[in-house]
Amino acid sequence: MSFLIRVQLPDTPGTLGAVASALGMAGADILSVNVVERGNGIAIDDFVVELPAGRLPDTLITAAESVDGVEVDAVRPYAGVLDTHRELELVEAIASQPESGLELLADGVPRIVRAGWSIVVEVGSEDDGDSGVTRLASSTAAPEAPLGELPWLPLEHATVLDAEAPWVPEMWRELGTELAATPIGKPERALLVGRPGGPMFRAAEVARLAHLAGIVTVVLQG
């Protein structure tokens, strides 16, 4: 079974290799490594690893934290391996099928930012007499329950959302779902991304969402 393990580690030569070696010694087959964020002497890295049948994911935590200065943010099951070309492939697909652009975006984003699901939502204008929320597109694993009020819309900038806010459905809270959102073309329309079980969205990931949404907006308007 594959797992995503997110670690904080000192951004010093040899530390990443030491973590990789420790995971290997624990029986983990490392499928990919991705640097999520770096700054102030700390790096945030994602490892996608495969464990042999019967091996508990707790062994990943023990192994990684055996390296001095390393802390594990989260470990969760993960289906898929990071493909550095996915963003380009997604943009190309949207450019060739703009009529399905929002559907393609919603379905492709979770694989790019290693999330569980995403939904494109839009809130109406009170001036038009309709301030309700409309679901424009969803990824295959997105929750199907109707959305109530989304008080964070309109949205001017990409941001991490409060996962314990009153508007968040109870099931999302029970699953420990981390949330982030970015506007798409206008403040009233946004891409909402959920990551059940964490880890939390880092600033670099939110910036990546904003950048992708900006490119897709230009493609769809073109």
Side-chain angles (χ1 to χ4, degrees):
M1 186 173 184
S2 296
F3 293 88
L4 170 66
I5 174 171
R6 174 164 292 185
V7 299
Q8 296 187 45
L9 65 159
D11 192 10
T12 54
T15 304
L16 179 59
V19 174
S21 296
L23 293 174
M25 291 293 292
D29 182 11
I30 299 175
L31 305 180
S32 69
V33 182
N34 181 47
V35 179
V36 176
E37 192 172 82
R38 302 175 73 178
N40 299 319
I42 298 294
I44 308 296
D45 292 350
D46 280 351
F47 290 81
V48 174
V49 304
E50 191 171 80
L51 281 178
R55 190 68 60 90
L56 297 176
D58 287 354
T59 60
L60 298 173
I61 300 175
T62 301
E65 293 189 343
S66 69
V67 179
D68 287 344
V70 174
E71 296 182 12
V72 174
D73 276 356
V75 176
R76 65 181 177 90
Y78 180 74
V81 181
L82 178 68
D83 182 345
T84 56
H85 299 292
R86 275 185 173 156
E87 283 165 291
L88 290 176
E89 291 174 351
L90 178 58
V91 172
E92 289 176 354
I94 291 173
S96 64
Q97 304 176 64
E99 70 282 357
S100 303
L102 294 180
E103 290 84 355
L104 292 169
L105 176 66
D107 205 47
V109 161
R111 292 189 292 274
I112 291 173
V113 298
R114 288 174 167 166
W117 51 263
S118 68
I119 303 172
V120 178
V121 293
E122 187 171 56
V123 64
S125 170
E126 292 184 0
D127 294 337
D128 297 332
D130 181 13
S131 58
V133 175
T134 301
R135 183 190 298 235
L136 301 178
S138 303
S139 65
T140 52
E144 297 181 358
L147 294 172
E149 294 184 2
L150 299 180
W152 46 272
L153 279 177
L155 183 66
E156 295 292 340
H157 307 287
T159 186
V160 173
L161 299 173
D162 180 2
E164 298 295 328
W167 69 268
V168 178
E170 182 178 355
M171 181 60 70
W172 299 10
R173 293 198 295 269
E174 290 177 354
L175 293 174
T177 305
E178 297 290 342
L179 301 167
T182 184
I184 305 176
K186 56 182 180 179
E188 293 78 18
R189 179 184 299 167
L191 177 70
L192 172 63
V193 184
R195 185 182 275 162
M200 64 178 287
F201 285 94
R202 311 291 302 192
E205 293 179 299
V206 175
R208 190 177 184 186
L209 281 174
H211 182 65
L212 180 58
I215 294 174
V216 170
T217 297
V218 172
V219 170
L220 293 179
Q221 290 176 344

